[in-house]
Every structure is written in C-alpha cells, then in structure tokens.
Amino acid sequence: MAVTRTFSIIKPDATRRNLTGAVTKKLEDAGLRVVASKRIQMTKEQAEGFYAVHSERPFFNDLVSFMISGPVVVQVLEGENAVKANRDVMGATNPADAAEGTIRKEFAESIEANSVHGSDSEENAKIEIDYFFKADEIVG
Ligand code: UDP
C-alpha cells in the first residue's frame, strides 16, 4: 500500500466542545499523521463552494449554516491508504449507524453535526486539500 494524503475537517460541533485534541488523537491512533493543520472561520462562500456537490440536496442550506456556525480545523492527513483509513475511523455519516470506537460514534451529535469531514476519494482529497492549503503549508 502507498502512503497517500487525505483532507479532514474537525467541524464546529467538535471545536465548540473542545474536542480538537480528542479527535486528532483518534486520527493519529488510526495511523494518520497530521502534516498540515489550521483553525479557521469558514465564510459562507467558502462553505458553499466546498459543498457545491450537495447544492441540490435538501440539507444543503442547513449544512452551510452549521459549517459556518463556529471555527473548524482543516487538516491534511498522511498515511497508508489515507482516504480509507480516515473514512474507517470517522464512522458512518449518521452517528446512529457508526461502529463502536469511531469518531462519529463517540463524539457526533447528529447526522449533520457529526464532528468530522473526510474526503471520499483520492481525487476529491487532492481537490479539497488545494481548496484550503498552499503547497508550502503542508510539511510531510
Ligand atoms: N448531512 C446532513 N444530512 C444528511 C446527510 C448529510 O446534514 O441527511 C451532512 C453531514 O454533515 C455530512 C455532510 O452533509 O457529513 C456530507 O454528507 P455526505 O453524504 O458526503 O457524508 P460524509 O461523507 O460526510 O459521511
């Protein structure tokens, strides 16, 4: 397996409850290395652009409002098969369906306020990393 990168967001429900460290520990324990990290307040335009693929979905407006309701921590994660490793430790979108030991099982509040985002493919990981980070902000 190759060492690859993925993109993660610690969402406002988690930063609000001071869970940045607890979530990051889960990621690190899953074999992922944080090679870039910054705490930002997303703008409405940034959030709409990031979730553009969901713009026709009924939850889009609420999701954008949630994502700008407080600070988020955007991260680049590196590791063996990083996209899958991260998706596995995140757990299912709906915390009610998330497996034991996953971030969403332990920390998520709801299907919307589910503590973390993680890229769903290597192709999207590259796009999402470029959306938030310059090359010199990532130190492997
Ligand atoms: N979401 C929501 N309601 C839904 C489905 C999704 O609010 O019924 C939100 C949730 O925050 C989720 C995000 O939209 O993480 C993106 O949805 P996706 O299906 O891509 O799930 P993910 O890849 O984050 O598990």
Side-chain angles (χ1 to χ4, degrees):
M1 273 192 298
V3 172
T4 57
R5 288 178 175 171
T6 191
F7 175 73
S8 167
I9 305 177
I10 302 176
K11 294 184 178 181
D13 67 287
T15 62
R16 190 176 294 126
R17 288 174 290 149
N18 215 16
L19 293 171
T20 298
V23 170
T24 301
K25 176 154 172 46
K26 285 278 202 187
L27 299 172
E28 291 179 337
D29 287 350
L32 294 159
R33 180 180 301 274
V34 180
V35 295
S37 184
K38 57 187 173 188
R39 180 175 165 103
I40 60 168
Q41 172 63 54
M42 260 200 241
T43 64
K44 186 163 181 280
E45 291 68 30
Q46 246 177 333
E48 286 173 346
F50 182 73
Y51 280 120
V53 63
H54 292 309
S55 61
E56 302 304 318
R57 307 282 286 277
F59 58 81
F60 178 72
N61 287 336
D62 283 348
L63 176 60
V64 168
S65 297
F66 164 63
M67 290 301 287
I68 65 173
S69 68
V72 298
V73 178
V74 290
Q75 297 177 319
V76 181
L77 308 176
E78 190 175 88
E80 292 281 341
N81 209 355
V83 169
K84 182 175 189 307
N86 186 39
R87 297 290 302 188
D88 286 350
V89 73
M90 285 164 60
T93 309
N94 186 346
D97 301 328
E100 285 299 331
T102 61
I103 292 168
R104 285 167 166 172
K105 176 71 176 183
E106 282 192 25
F107 302 126
E109 293 181 323
S110 67
I111 192 170
E112 176 183 82
N114 59 5
S115 303
V116 278
H117 166 85
S119 309
D120 62 3
S121 69
E122 292 215 8
E123 188 189 356
N124 283 338
K126 287 193 177 65
I127 293 167
E128 293 174 359
I129 289 169
D130 286 348
Y131 194 79
F132 286 103
F133 288 97
K134 298 192 178 78
D136 67 0
E137 292 178 308
I138 305 168
V139 183

